[in-house]
Amino acid sequence: VLGCEVFPNQYILDEQGFVGRVAAVNSHAVTLLDLPHDQLMHQGAWGLKPINIHQAIALHLLLDPDVHIVNLTGAAGSGKTILALAASIEMVIGQKRYNKIIATRSTPPLAEEHGFLPGTEEEKMDPWLGAITDNIEALHLNDENPQSSIQYVKERANIQFKALNYIRGRSFQKAIILIDECQNLTPHQMKAIITRAGEGSKVVCLGNLAQIDTPYLSATSSGLAYMAERFKGFAHGGSVHLNGVPRSVLAEFAESNL
């Protein structure tokens, strides 16, 4: 840590297995909270357990009621979405700390005007929020009646799918706001969403700077990078980069070579 810039809620790991979380920073000292490795690995959220220390750290940050904004980055398959979703469901249904989950993400330019698409707002957003639905299903694959469990979670956790243009002008109280594919958002769009967080709400930003699909954004101009930089000194925020846990050998090769 000495000689390095550190920030509140940053996690420090060493080769001997020590895990510490920065509790306070001033001009003279850095205060670390010692987190036992086994304790971190035995956390759970809605039946989901971390499979490595980086996932355990992410879960620890997600479940902390004093952290109001969490930034999770990492390659495809590293567990960003399923960790965020499991923690969100746990905090809404299990702990009753929040009242609902608002899920949103960037959409391709041709899909920005959702009014032209038929169906309800959720049906219009479904093609672009498939990752959320897929991960709800993954959490309940081994249930006796998976479809019934999925419907139960969607209703009890009050999961709402919102398009970006529906969020503008709204204010969400006691909600968890999940923003998927943040790397494709501009700084202006990120600000528009995060400022919608009302009293008692938590924002979770998910993204991968290596997967920017928008031609006018780069790893430095992306809203994800902008948000991480602007919030790094915020006492109620934190960021975790997840190491890849590839979905398959093919996915791992594609991540590295395409």
Side-chain angles (χ1 to χ4, degrees):
V1 177
L2 292 177
C4 299
E5 193 176 9
V6 294
F7 305 102
N9 302 317
Q10 184 176 346
Y11 290 80
I12 311 295
L13 288 76
D14 70 13
E15 294 176 355
Q16 281 69 49
F18 168 80
V19 183
R21 176 171 160 179
V22 177
V25 183
N26 59 40
S27 57
H28 305 293
V30 174
T31 305
L32 291 179
L33 174 65
D34 184 5
L35 300 171
H37 185 281
D38 288 348
Q39 181 180 314
L40 284 170
M41 291 302 296
H42 282 92
Q43 295 174 106
W46 205 246
L48 184 73
K49 299 284 185 183
I51 63 174
N52 60 37
I53 191 60
H54 292 92
Q55 287 195 359
I57 285 169
L59 205 54
H60 188 257
L61 199 60
L62 286 163
L63 293 170
D64 188 332
D66 293 324
V67 174
H68 306 320
I69 184 163
V70 177
N71 179 28
L72 290 188
T73 60
S78 57
K80 303 182 298 293
T81 307
I82 199 164
L83 283 166
L85 195 57
S88 298
I89 294 169
E90 180 67 36
M91 290 185 288
V92 173
I93 299 178
Q95 301 174 5
K96 295 181 171 56
R97 193 179 296 158
Y98 303 95
N99 294 333
K100 58 191 169 188
I101 299 170
I102 306 294
T104 190
R105 60 162 287 180
S106 67
T107 53
L110 289 175
E112 286 293 337
E113 294 301 328
H114 291 87
F116 292 109
L117 297 173
T120 64
E121 182 183 349
E122 181 172 339
E123 288 167 343
K124 291 174 185 180
M125 283 302 294
D126 194 56
W128 317 119
L129 286 164
I132 302 292
T133 303
D134 291 346
N135 281 283
I136 295 172
E137 291 176 0
L139 288 169
H140 293 280
L141 275 178
N142 298 319
D143 289 9
E144 190 173 326
N145 188 340
Q147 284 306 315
S148 177
S149 298
I150 292 162
Q151 194 58 37
Y152 170 83
V153 165
K154 280 189 172 183
E155 290 175 2
R156 284 291 307 278
N158 193 9
I159 300 176
Q160 302 173 22
F161 300 99
K162 300 287 182 186
L164 287 179
N165 52 338
Y166 284 92
I167 283 178
R168 294 188 187 107
R170 301 283 302 276
S171 180
F172 300 105
Q173 316 296 324
K174 289 196 72 177
I176 300 177
I177 303 170
L178 295 181
I179 316 171
D180 202 10
E181 304 287 358
C182 280
Q183 74 276 1
N184 292 322
L185 295 174
T186 66
H188 177 75
Q189 287 173 316
M190 286 294 290
K191 180 177 179 179
I193 300 171
I194 293 172
T195 53
R196 298 303 95 206
E199 187 65 34
S201 287
K202 186 184 193 106
V203 176
V204 181
C205 303
L206 310 170
N208 178 12
L209 289 171
Q211 282 191 324
I212 294 176
D213 302 319
T214 307
Y216 54 83
L217 288 176
S218 68
T220 52
S221 64
S222 163
L224 177 60
Y226 173 82
M227 186 276 301
E229 177 66 23
R230 289 303 178 100
F231 276 93
K232 65 185 181 183
F234 182 46
H236 298 283
S239 297
V240 176
H241 181 75
L242 296 170
N243 286 347
V245 182
R247 298 182 178 115
S248 65
V249 173
L250 173 61
E252 181 179 24
F253 185 86
E255 184 72 28
S256 302
N257 294 278
L258 294 182

